[in-house]
Amino acid sequence: MQDEKTYTGGCHCGQVRFECTTDLAMVTACNCSICTKKGLHITFLAPQSFQLRAGEDNLREYLFNRQMIRHQLCIDCGVEVFARGKKPDGTEVVALNVSCIDGIELSRLTLTPVDGRSL
Ligand SMILES: [Zn+2]
């Protein structure tokens, strides 16, 4: 397992930028509808490990199903950078699209299967 590192990243057009600290130990390969259609691989972060550095006003929120997860999309390039939600115990969590991390190589990550379709 890798140590925690601080990464930068953003959307495709670059208007939305963030910094985050994570060990990337748990990256999802989830079969739910949105992860499947968007090809999303998510890692979960405590809100204090994620800082939006630019583009707060360039985000559009997308809600569906029980509207528990607030998906954040760049209004220009359409990339979903992250989502905000709550864990079952009520604590806030950031779901980061790891593909938005600068220089990420998906094929080098260990993906953890998640059966989101059944949740
Ligand atoms: Zn963008």
Side-chain angles (χ1 to χ4, degrees), residues 10-117:
C11 67
H12 190 264
C13 72
Q15 301 212 59
V16 178
R17 296 291 300 166
F18 65 84
E19 197 172 289
C20 69
T21 303
T22 174
D23 57 9
L24 291 175
M26 201 294 201
V27 178
T28 63
C30 177
N31 63 5
C32 83
S33 61
I34 197 148
C35 287
T36 297
K37 284 194 188 282
K38 291 193 169 196
L40 289 174
H41 298 287
I42 296 293
T43 197
F44 296 98
L45 303 168
Q48 59 268 27
S49 299
F50 176 85
Q51 284 89 37
L52 201 54
R53 293 290 188 221
E56 179 100 57
D57 298 337
N58 223 56
L59 291 168
R60 183 166 68 81
E61 193 160 274
Y62 175 66
L63 303 171
F64 71 104
N65 195 7
R66 285 172 290 164
Q67 315 212 331
M68 299 287 284
I69 307 170
R70 289 148 19 232
H71 299 267
Q72 307 294 316
L73 283 57
C74 173
I75 56 176
D76 285 311
C77 66
V79 167
E80 170 155 354
V81 180
F82 66 101
R84 294 191 190 275
K86 282 192 175 134
K87 292 195 215 173
D89 67 3
T91 51
E92 292 276 338
V93 68
V94 171
L96 178 72
N97 175 0
V98 298
S99 300
C100 289
I101 293 173
D102 293 336
I104 199 80
E105 287 271 9
L106 267 188
S107 60
R108 296 200 186 159
L109 298 177
T110 304
L111 301 180
T112 303
V114 174
D115 187 16
R117 193 171 289 177

